[in-house]
Amino acid sequence: MKRECLECGRDIIGRIDKKFCNDYCRNAYNNKVNKDSKNLVRNINNRLRKNYRILDSYKLTDGKTKTTRTRLLDKGFDFDFITNLYTTKKGTTYYFVYDLGYLPLDNDYYMIVKRE
């Protein structure tokens, strides 16, 4: 029985359960199969990294500072991408991107904080 490589179509020599002629073809085939899910993860990580850099660009005094929503949006901040939430005993919710977070205040102000 003649077997062909799933990627390039060349004849396969070796074990009976072998599907690819070499490591290059195996990697190329699997990269094609997983391309969509990898792009999704890559895009999400890029958005999180950008949000983190924006929050990190603010100089913190005693671990916090204030800014406006407009300034964050002008720098390209995307409020849809966070890593976790922290709710205090009083019910206040902080939105975090790794160890940097923000708290929505009145009049479109935000307090930026760093978790120690």
Side-chain angles (χ1 to χ4, degrees), residues 18-69:
K18 210 171 165 184
K19 297 178 183 178
F20 305 98
C21 59
N22 58 34
D23 286 338
Y24 176 81
C25 283
R26 179 178 48 84
N27 285 327
Y29 179 84
N30 286 316
N31 285 340
K32 283 181 193 174
V33 169
N34 298 323
K35 180 180 173 185
D36 293 335
S37 64
K38 287 181 182 181
N39 280 339
L40 175 67
V41 171
R42 185 180 307 114
N43 290 338
I44 291 171
N45 284 336
N46 287 338
R47 295 302 310 172
L48 288 171
R49 196 170 22 254
K50 183 174 183 179
N51 279 355
Y52 185 84
R53 281 194 306 263
I54 291 168
L55 291 176
D56 197 36
S57 70
Y58 288 93
K59 185 178 181 202
L60 302 179
T61 306
D62 295 328
K64 59 186 174 182
T65 191
K66 281 171 91 173
T67 189
T68 63
R69 179 180 181 85

Side-chain angles (χ1 to χ4, degrees), residues 56-90:
D56 197 36
S57 70
Y58 288 93
K59 185 178 181 202
L60 302 179
T61 306
D62 295 328
K64 59 186 174 182
T65 191
K66 281 171 91 173
T67 189
T68 63
R69 179 180 181 85
T70 307
R71 286 185 192 139
L72 288 170
L73 290 173
D74 287 345
K75 289 185 174 191
F77 193 83
D78 191 339
F79 288 93
D80 293 331
F81 290 89
I82 59 170
T83 55
N84 60 313
L85 299 171
Y86 175 71
T87 306
T88 64
K89 291 179 183 176
K90 293 180 182 178

